[in-house]
Structures are given as C-alpha cells and as structure tokens.
Amino acid sequence: MLENLIIENFAIIEKVDLQFEAGMSVLTGETGAGKSIIIDALLMLTGGRASSEMIRHGSPKAVLQAVFRLPENDKLLAHLAEIGVPIEDGELIIYRELNANGRSLIRLNGVVVNLKTLARVGQYLVDIQGQNDTQQLLNVDEHLILLDGFGGEKLQTTKTAYQQVFQEFRAITQRLRKIQTSQQDMTQRLDLLQFQQQELVEADLQPNEEEFLLDARGKLLNHKKIADRLQNAQLALNGEQGGAVDMLAQAMHELQEIAEFDATYAELATTIADSYYTAQEVGRDVDEQIGALTYDESELLRIEDRLQLIHTLERKYGPTVADVLQFKAKIDQELAALDHDEFDIEQLQVKQNELRQVVRKQAVKLREVRQEVARHLEQAVNQQLSELLMSGAEFAVRFEPITGYISSGADKVEFYVQTNVGEGLAPLAKIASGGEAARLMLALKTTFAKQQNIVSIVFDEADTGVSGRVAQAIARKMLTIAADSQVLAITHLPQVAAAATHHFLIAKTTENDRTVTQVTALDEAGREGAIAMMLSGEDITTTALANARELRQQAPKIKHKKNN
C-alpha cells in the first residue's frame, strides 16, 4: 500500500507530507483546492509523463516521493530484481525530480531508472479510476486476460494444456511454411554442402601436411646446393690433406702428453677431446646425409600439385589447413542435421493435420471452461450492479470465434453492458459517461480487485453524478474493495466521506501573495465538520453537524480480508 507521499513545488503545492494507512482514505475540499494535483503527483510517480509547466512558479524543480509497502506479487518482485532494484523489508521508495530545464530524474530505492521502467513498475502499484478513466476495464484487449484471471486454477490448467499443444502446432506450421517457401534455397544449400564435403573428403588433408610438403619441396629445389655444401663439409672434416678431425686428433694428443703437469692442461685436453669426438660424429652424419640425398623430379611435381590443391582449398575455406579441416567438420555436422525426412512436405502436412485436430479439441475445451467462468463473472458483476441500485443494468461476456488459432485460444472475448432496461447490450467501451458509468466501473472494479492485485486504487471523483441511496451503495462498494486493496478517493459525496476510514481535507489559502494548498489529516471532530460543510456549504449549521455525525455513525465499516 501507499504509506507516504511527499510533494514539493508541484503546481500550486509548496510542500505536503502525507501519511496513509490501510483501508479507505478520502480527500475532500472545494473545487480547485488541489485534490486532483495530488492524484497527478501519484500519476507522475507511477510512470505518467511530465512537463516543466507542472513545476511551481519560481521554483527550479519539483520533487515527488512515495513510499510503498509492496504486495506479494511474483511478477513485480521479479521485475524489480531484473532491473537491479534492492528490496528490504518489502519497501519501495519512488523518487522523481522534475527540473525546469525539462530533465527528469527517477530513482527506485536509489537506483536510477527511465520512465518506461517506472511505468512498468507503477502498473502494479496504483490504479487511478476516474469518471472517464477506466484504464484496463475499457481496453478490449484486456478483457480475455481479466476473464482468465477470474477463472482460477481450473481455467489456468486448461489454458496451459491448450498452449502446450498450440506451441507444437505453431512450430510445425512455421517449419512447414519455411520449407515450402524456401525449398529451392534449401536444396541448393544441400547440394553445395555435399559438393564441399566431397571435395574435402577427396583432398584428405592432414594436419601439418603443408609444412611437411614445403620442407620437402625446398630440399628438392635446392638439391645441387645441398649436395655441394655437404661434400664441402665432408672434405673440411675428413679431407685427404688433413681435415678438421685429423687436426683435432693431433691437438688432443699433444695436450694429453702434458696433462699430468698441470690441471689447466688436463682440462684443455678434455675439452679438445669432446670437440674431436663431436667432429667425428658430425662427419658420420654428413656421410649418411650424402648417401640419403636423392633427386626425384616426379616427386617434386607431385609435391607442387599437392601444394597447389592445398592453397586452392585455403582460398575457398580458410587461410590455413587447420581452418579448412575445421570448415569440413562444420559441413559434416550440418549435413548430419539435415535429415532428408525434414524436407518431406507430405509427412509434415500429415503431422500438422494431426496436431490441428488436437488443437481444435483443446480450443473447444478451453472455450467451454471460459464460458462457464464467464457465467460466474456475469452473475458476480450483475450482483454488484444490483447492490449499486442499478436494477435495470446487465453485464454480459460475449465470445466471437476468430479465424485460426492464437496462443490465447480461438475466441475474442469482449464485455458488453446494458445500463437501462430496454436499451440492449452494447460494448463496454461505448458506455455513456455519468453516474451509471461510474457505478458500472465500480461494480467491475469490485469484482476484479482481487485478481488485479494492485496495491492502491484511486477513485478520482468516480462517484460524480450520483447521490442519496446510490451514494451509500457506492460507499459500501469502495469499502469492499478496500478490504483487498488500499483505496484513495476524491469525493464530493458526504456518504462516501463518512464511510472512509481516514479523511484528508484539502484547502487553498494565500500566503505572501502566493496560492498555497494545504492538506490536513482530520480527527473525528474535524471529519464531522468537513462532512457538514459538504452538506451545507461554508456556513456549517447545527443541523448539518448533526447530520454529519449521524452519517458517521450509520456508515458501513470495513472488514479487512488481508493486509494492505
């Protein structure tokens, strides 16, 4: 529920700080005193669009703040968690700042959000109902949602069963449509994949093959140079005129002869011995390389052809052999997924027709359950209308079949009403304004209040055009709603004001040549005086006070069903 509302420099309000409680609170006062400004402030705090003209003249900015005690609403809490708004002890503080430069700052528990996010959160918190502002109830697209919400678990179970088979039916229908409209493209794609796969299978590329072939080609292309250099190296090591190996042997012998005379000589002898044996080993390896060295022109041609194939595949499928092999793996995977049976339109159509029959049966079942719920809804609303002294009024739920199937079923649902005997039923969206429309909206709001699970419901002069017994009936209905949701009502009816659990008086005064709106929470004596003023005007008579006291004593009392 709304616990606190602070308004600063907004319209003609300099500053008000209001504390609200559960139940039904009324705001009364003379026309133009600023009652609707408070409603406008609530509208701004729940996502309404603002302009700099709303800022009090001479002030750089307007500040609005509301503190809400949140309901147990999974969707609301999940959305707040999604946008990163922390919730502690179930409290949500909404802060909105309107600046003269046109900028607006919005915070939810300190987290900065945009206007769209505020509006999404606000729809769970406050529902403002005016004489011509019926919001969700006049939106035809919402009627089916309201009916389903009223239907409870049985309807929801039936709806879920329908939606499950509908999703399967829609999936195969979309799949079939996609195949039918792009079968040629898919066939071309299949042909291309098969060609690419065959090309790569025949190529039989191996990891690191390109590096191996480049090395082999380099040796063949430089055969003469390699042979000459190996021969020269062998002559340098083991030449007939005394090569490096013989010279190292001589040096080793000379040093070994004097090794016993000094440790340094011994170390030099050891070092030269290592070099001698290493040179001998290198000489043998060079001999082996000379013996193994061959030149095969046909092998060179084969390598050139293979490298050309590899380079061609790299240009087509990837810059390296590894990329080409990875591309082949993707082709294999895609071809494995493309089961030819998936392209069999006849088989898909058979399955689609089977599912269509199941969807049809589930849609009929869903319609029957909804029609049963609709009868209960009609009875409930018509009972409310009767209690609101609209004996000639009638509420009905009408079903209109649609072509095909959608996720919500196979019907369009719309609320129809008759406000007077003999007028005939007409769409709810076309009802006339005035007292009858106000009572009709109140009857619907009473019926749907629980399902909507809104924290606070505001009635902005929704009782206009009624009086007497009807006013008492409206007061009782508002109290009925207040048993489930906090109610704030701007009213000119003393019967409604007398029935409220809390009463705020809004008055307009002049201070320092400026108009100022003041809001006062009334005690019992103050309430009687405010109601007496509603009965007799500014000159409060003894009779008016007595009538006000009697209205308070006879007013119905709220019976809370849950914590607001």
Side-chain angles (χ1 to χ4, degrees):
M1 70 173 187
L2 174 65
E3 293 184 336
N4 175 241
L5 177 64
I6 297 175
I7 305 172
E8 295 183 18
N9 297 318
F10 186 70
I12 61 173
I13 295 179
E14 184 175 13
K15 182 173 182 179
V16 295
D17 187 342
L18 304 177
Q19 303 295 325
F20 293 98
E21 298 182 38
M24 174 180 168
S25 299
V26 292
L27 293 82
T28 66
E30 295 182 0
T31 301
K35 299 185 296 297
S36 10
I37 296 175
I38 294 176
I39 305 304
D40 289 342
L42 269 177
L43 184 62
M44 296 302 103
L45 284 165
T46 52
R49 294 196 171 275
S51 71
S52 57
E53 297 177 357
M54 297 176 175
I55 301 173
R56 181 174 166 83
H57 180 68
S59 300
K61 65 181 180 180
V63 173
L64 308 172
Q65 179 173 294
V67 179
F68 286 93
R69 180 67 53 188
L70 296 182
E72 295 179 0
N73 188 311
D74 293 339
K75 289 184 179 180
L76 171 58
L77 295 176
H79 180 58
L80 290 171
E82 179 184 343
I83 60 179
V85 175
I87 300 296
E88 294 183 6
D89 299 326
E91 185 177 86
L92 177 66
I93 300 175
I94 301 177
Y95 175 90
R96 186 167 184 182
E97 186 179 291
L98 310 178
N99 291 281
N101 59 13
R103 295 181 180 178
S104 177
L105 174 65
I106 304 170
R107 289 194 181 99
L108 301 180
N109 280 356
V111 177
V112 177
V113 300
N114 58 29
L115 184 61
K116 183 178 179 180
T117 298
L118 177 63
R120 284 191 63 186
V121 172
Q123 68 180 335
Y124 296 102
L125 301 177
V126 176
D127 183 15
I128 299 177
Q129 297 287 317
Q131 184 179 355
N132 294 310
D133 181 16
T134 56
Q135 298 181 7
Q136 189 179 23
L137 296 176
L138 285 183
N139 186 348
V140 176
D141 294 334
E142 296 289 337
H143 290 180
L144 182 59
I145 297 173
L146 290 169
L147 177 66
D148 287 353
F150 185 78
E153 185 176 350
K154 179 181 178 181
L155 195 155
Q156 187 58 49
T157 300
T158 307
K159 183 178 178 180
T160 300
Y162 164 80
Q163 289 179 332
Q164 287 176 345
V165 69
F166 169 77
Q167 294 298 336
E168 188 177 356
F169 171 73
R170 182 170 64 176
I172 198 170
T173 299
Q174 291 175 342
R175 181 172 153 197
L176 183 60
R177 185 181 298 117
K178 182 179 179 181
I179 292 173
Q180 289 172 326
T181 55
S182 61
Q183 190 175 28
Q184 183 177 357
D185 292 340
M186 296 175 75
T187 301
Q188 291 175 349
R189 175 65 177 166
L190 182 62
D191 290 343
L192 174 62
L193 291 174
Q194 290 174 335
F195 170 79
Q196 291 174 332
Q197 184 187 54
Q198 183 64 28
E199 183 178 35
L200 292 172
V201 167
E202 291 177 354
D204 192 24
L205 298 186
Q206 302 298 319
N208 303 318
E209 180 182 6
E210 185 176 14
E211 291 80 0
F212 174 80
L213 291 174
L214 288 172
D215 289 343
R217 185 183 67 169
K219 290 180 180 180
L220 289 171
L221 289 175
N222 294 279
H223 177 269
K224 185 178 185 305
K225 179 178 180 180
I226 293 171
D228 290 345
R229 297 303 182 269
L230 287 174
Q231 290 290 347
N232 292 339
Q234 186 63 280
L235 288 173
L237 289 168
N238 296 299
E240 293 179 358
Q241 303 299 323
V245 174
D246 291 338
M247 296 175 70
L248 286 170
Q250 180 64 33
M252 178 181 66
H253 175 72
E254 298 298 338
L255 289 171
Q256 286 176 342
E257 286 291 322
I258 61 174
E260 60 181 309
F261 301 116
D262 191 291
T264 301
Y265 304 154
E267 183 178 351
L268 290 173
T270 301
T271 302
I272 202 68
D274 291 340
S275 299
Y276 168 72
Y277 295 124
T278 300
Q280 273 191 326
E281 185 175 349
V282 170
R284 289 193 294 270
D285 290 343
V286 170
D287 285 339
E288 290 180 3
Q289 290 297 321
I290 293 174
L293 187 64
T294 61
Y295 177 77
D296 187 344
E297 186 175 358
S298 63
E299 176 64 10
L300 177 60
L301 292 175
R302 186 194 70 80
I303 291 175
E304 293 284 6
D305 290 342
R306 185 66 177 170
L307 285 171
Q308 184 177 358
L309 172 62
I310 290 174
H311 294 159
T312 299
L313 294 177
E314 287 175 339
R315 286 194 298 271
K316 294 172 68 175
Y317 305 123
T320 67
V321 170
D323 293 318
V324 176
L325 292 173
Q326 186 177 6
F327 182 82
K328 179 181 180 299
K330 290 181 180 179
I331 290 177
D332 294 340
Q333 184 178 4
E334 186 173 352
L335 281 171
L338 290 176
D339 186 346
H340 287 284
D341 291 339
E342 292 185 3
F343 301 137
D344 191 337
I345 294 178
E346 292 184 1
Q347 290 185 13
L348 288 174
Q349 288 174 333
V350 169
K351 189 171 183 180
Q352 182 193 42
N353 289 331
E354 292 174 352
L355 284 172
R356 183 181 286 110
Q357 298 302 318
V358 179
V359 170
R360 181 181 293 113
K361 290 179 181 178
Q362 290 292 339
V364 170
K365 185 176 181 180
L366 178 58
R367 175 187 299 147
E368 291 172 348
V369 174
R370 278 178 171 156
Q371 287 175 339
E372 181 182 355
V373 170
R375 288 192 292 271
H376 292 302
L377 177 61
E378 290 170 348
Q379 292 172 2
V381 175
N382 286 324
Q383 177 64 33
Q384 297 292 335
L385 292 174
S386 176
E387 294 175 4
L388 285 167
L389 307 183
M390 294 182 68
S391 57
E394 182 183 354
F395 171 83
V397 181
R398 289 193 174 177
F399 290 75
E400 180 182 346
I402 62 174
T403 301
Y405 303 96
I406 57 177
S407 61
S408 60
D411 298 286
K412 176 184 176 182
V413 170
E414 186 172 0
F415 297 160
Y416 275 65
V417 294
Q418 172 185 271
T419 54
N420 294 291
V421 175
E423 289 183 351
L425 290 165
L428 177 63
K430 296 181 180 180
I431 61 172
S433 61
E436 291 174 342
R439 281 183 283 171
L440 176 60
M441 291 301 105
L442 190 54
L444 290 167
K445 180 55 65 178
T446 304
T447 305
F448 286 117
K450 244 183 179 179
Q451 280 73 27
Q452 290 176 320
N453 196 27
I454 295 174
V455 175
S456 302
I457 298 175
V458 178
F459 292 100
D460 186 6
E461 299 188 14
D463 50 18
T464 299
V466 300
S467 60
R469 293 172 57 233
V470 174
Q472 291 177 332
I474 286 178
R476 286 194 294 270
K477 284 303 152 196
M478 287 186 178
L479 284 175
T480 301
I481 296 174
D484 291 299
S485 298
Q486 181 188 45
V487 170
L488 308 178
I490 291 179
T491 184
H492 292 286
L493 294 178
Q495 294 90 339
V496 174
T501 48
H502 313 285
H503 192 148
F504 294 88
L505 179 64
I506 302 175
K508 184 169 60 175
T509 61
T510 302
E511 296 180 3
N512 300 323
D513 297 326
R514 293 292 304 272
T515 301
V516 178
T517 292
Q518 296 179 337
V519 184
T520 306
L522 301 179
D523 57 15
E524 186 57 36
R527 294 192 65 174
E528 291 178 359
I531 295 170
M533 187 181 298
M534 298 172 74
L535 290 167
S536 64
E538 290 187 9
D539 297 327
I540 301 176
T541 65
T542 303
T543 301
L545 278 172
N547 289 338
R549 190 172 300 112
E550 184 178 0
L551 279 176
R552 285 286 295 144
Q553 292 171 352
Q554 295 178 352
K557 300 296 184 292
I558 188 171
K559 296 180 181 179
H560 290 290
K561 300 176 184 177
K562 67 178 181 180
N563 293 328
N564 293 322

